[in-house]
Amino acid sequence: MSYRVNNFKNAVHGFFLSLAITIAEPSTILPLIVNHFSSSLPLVGLFASLLRGGAIVVQLFAAFYAQSFERVLPYLRIVFAFRFLSWFMVGLAIYAIGDSQPVLTLWLIGTGLFFFSFSAGFGGIYFKELMAKIFSKKERGRTMANRQLFSSLGAILSGGIAGAVLQHYPAPESYAYLFMLSSLVMLPGFILFATIEEPEKRSVNKREDSFSLFLKNASEILKRDKTLQLEIAASLLAYSYLLALPFVILRAKESMELSGWLVGGFITIQMAGSVLGNFFLWKRFGHGYTVMLKSSFVIIFLSIVTALFASDTWSYCVIFLLFGIGIDGFRNADMNLIIEIAPERKRPVYVAIQSTIVSAGLFFPILGGFILKYGGYGFLYLFTLVLLCCGFVVSGRLEKRLKGFLL
């Protein structure tokens, strides 16, 4: 397998996908879209969860079949088509209905976001299996850092495009244009990635006779594998930043006037942080994924501390910059740790167990909305900081357990 060719396709796919979906960034634009149609804070959290939380529904079912697949790319191509259509549907619903029936518009937006993330439940299993097959352990850390670097570059461009559209078109028309345009932007990345040459997997796992038996076997794996339990706990606690992230932009809206250019600027700054993190930090960690995980906890902790005292544009720039650095560290460490822990034959099963449980963290914004409603921003941020500290401690325990294996 050619690392150079596959690395290029992986990076370009990440670039176009990020350029497209940053349009609905959960920390900036998506909360503003939901807030346009409804003033409910828990609803803002719900939609932030729908963007990625639909995957939790199907991951174990996807792994039940994927464990016996010799190749997964044909199924991944179907996922790509489904994601394109569901994303375009969101923009079409806003354009066709919009303010005339805000409740219906929200339902359709939510449905499109759910199906977009629902299909990712299948795609995530297939994608990680593909990464494990075509890249070695050392190559995987580099290519994922490269992918995230190019993803961040795409997102930076997206911030400028989003700022221009939001500035020149009124809401909700601007939101409709953003989604429909970005759905077309996804296509080049999907098409190129679909041409990756996938080797046949010879060590496949025999599929159980029923899905219920598969679930029973999966639960047994979880009970007896202490390393898997620690990795899941650390990754779930890493998602605790989502308690606060969707509401940072709403607090900024209370203390300053948010122009379209400023919102787009915050996106650009967050993605610039991602570029800096991948270029100067994560790409240089090699396969030291537990150290990467601990470092990410520290960086996100600092961003939430800054949010506690933020009152001007510059402080919010620092917050989004740190978010950009830390979030990509979490993503890289999370994906590579589970691949390294899992035995080859049962890799899709391990990935599905981990992803299904950890994906519960994608619904933290809903909890965050209720905490904010009844406790205020200060309590929400402090609660988030406590969970981040717990995650740092758990990741330290995971590091000790894996010493001599990954590091």
Side-chain angles (χ1 to χ4, degrees), residues 12 25 85 143 159 282 337 349 351 354 391:
V12 171
E25 233 298 315
L85 292 172
T143 191
W282 314 135
L337 278 170
V349 183
V351 169
Q354 189 259 14

Side-chain angles (χ1 to χ4, degrees), residues 15-34 51-52 87 90-91 94 113 116 151 154-166 172-186 263-264 267 271:
F15 173 83
F16 282 107
L17 185 61
S18 180
L19 180 60
I21 65 174
T22 306
I23 294 302
E25 233 298 315
S27 60
T28 48
I29 294 180
L30 185 59
L32 295 176
I33 293 175
V34 179
L51 181 59
R52 297 189 177 97
W87 195 256
V90 173
I94 298 173
L113 293 178
F116 184 78
S151 296
I156 288 174
L157 291 177
S158 179
I161 296 170
V165 173
L166 292 171
E173 183 183 353
S174 56
Y175 303 141
Y177 291 153
L178 286 176
F179 270 94
M180 289 191 286
L181 175 64
S182 61
S183 63
L184 299 176
V185 171
M186 290 181 189
V263 174
I267 296 174
M271 299 312 144

Side-chain angles (χ1 to χ4, degrees), residues 148-340:
Q148 289 174 182
L149 176 62
F150 274 78
S151 296
S152 302
L153 292 172
I156 288 174
L157 291 177
S158 179
I161 296 170
V165 173
L166 292 171
Q167 189 71 23
H168 290 96
Y169 294 96
E173 183 183 353
S174 56
Y175 303 141
Y177 291 153
L178 286 176
F179 270 94
M180 289 191 286
L181 175 64
S182 61
S183 63
L184 299 176
V185 171
M186 290 181 189
L187 286 177
F190 284 163
I191 293 170
L192 184 64
F193 194 83
T195 64
I196 280 181
E197 184 181 349
E198 179 188 10
E200 183 177 300
K201 182 179 179 180
R202 302 193 182 280
S203 180
V204 295
N205 201 44
K206 187 178 182 299
R207 188 188 307 165
E208 290 86 346
D209 293 333
S210 67
F211 184 57
S212 60
L213 182 58
F214 168 81
L215 292 177
K216 181 181 177 181
N217 291 340
S219 66
E220 288 298 321
I221 290 173
L222 181 60
K223 286 178 184 177
R224 66 173 179 262
D225 196 325
K226 302 300 180 183
T227 306
L228 177 61
Q229 292 172 16
L230 279 174
E231 199 281 334
I232 288 173
S235 293
L236 182 59
L237 287 166
Y239 273 125
S240 56
Y241 73 88
L242 287 175
L243 286 164
L245 180 59
F247 306 102
V248 171
I249 193 70
L250 298 184
R251 191 179 193 192
K253 188 179 178 183
E254 293 177 1
S255 57
M256 66 185 76
E257 184 178 349
L258 289 181
S259 66
W261 287 118
L262 187 56
V263 174
F266 285 150
I267 296 174
T268 299
I269 289 168
Q270 181 174 335
M271 299 312 144
S274 180
V275 171
L276 293 172
N278 282 300
F279 189 78
F280 292 106
L281 285 176
W282 314 135
K283 192 173 180 179
R284 301 175 188 276
F285 272 71
H287 53 276
Y289 302 125
T290 50
V291 180
M292 186 186 298
L293 185 62
K294 290 170 64 180
S295 302
S296 301
F297 273 112
V298 172
I299 292 168
I300 295 295
F301 183 92
L302 293 175
S303 69
I304 300 296
V305 170
T306 306
L308 264 173
F309 305 101
S311 59
D312 55 32
T313 301
W314 291 109
S315 55
Y316 280 98
C317 288
V318 172
I319 293 167
F320 287 111
L321 181 73
L322 292 175
F323 270 135
I325 297 172
I327 291 171
D328 269 13
F330 280 146
R331 288 172 180 164
N332 200 333
D334 175 69
M335 191 200 86
N336 284 289
L337 278 170
I338 189 59
I339 287 176
E340 293 304 324

